[in-house]
Amino acid sequence: MTDREPLDSWGEGGVTFMGDAGHPMHPIGANGGSQAILDGQAIAEHLTGVDLRDGAAVDTALRAYEDERRPVTNDVVMANRKLNKTERSIANKTQDELKEFAESGEFEEMQKKYAKGEFDEL
């Protein structure tokens, strides 16, 4: 499983990316799936009321969708990259190390930071 560097653009003309095509990310906390759903919602909102036969209007709507979603998903990709390292370090612990980790309260602290979006501290 891998991610990719964030893209500067997702499309051109009447074509755009959404979901993993535009922003593949490590599967942490179902963020990839949830971002794809948010992409779908945003693209629908930007195309609502647009005459789909009007190529220029469609192009404008798609670029507006990209301009809204790219910065958000780029942030999630980068946060997931950090979280993936943390997750893998936990996965490599022995059973005894995991027990000690849980009993120390460190895992609970990590969960609190994740819930607050404090990814730089994980």
Side-chain angles (χ1 to χ4, degrees), residues 44-88:
E45 289 172 358
H46 283 283
L47 288 171
T48 296
V50 173
D51 181 351
L52 300 180
R53 297 168 293 186
D54 181 347
V58 170
D59 295 355
T60 299
L62 294 179
R63 297 304 76 77
Y65 147 75
E66 293 174 14
D67 290 344
E68 174 186 331
R69 294 294 302 149
R70 257 193 346 269
V72 174
T73 57
N74 288 350
D75 288 348
V76 174
V77 167
M78 300 313 285
N80 272 9
R81 204 174 272 179
K82 292 175 188 172
L83 292 171
N84 186 51
K85 290 177 186 172
T86 301
E87 185 176 87
R88 288 190 190 274

Side-chain angles (χ1 to χ4, degrees), residues 7 17 23 28 48 66 76 80 83-84 89-90 93 95 108-109:
L7 300 173
F17 290 142
H23 47 77
I28 308 292
T48 296
E66 293 174 14
V76 174
N80 272 9
L83 292 171
N84 186 51
S89 73
I90 294 170
K93 291 184 183 300
Q95 189 172 8
E108 186 176 338
E109 288 303 312

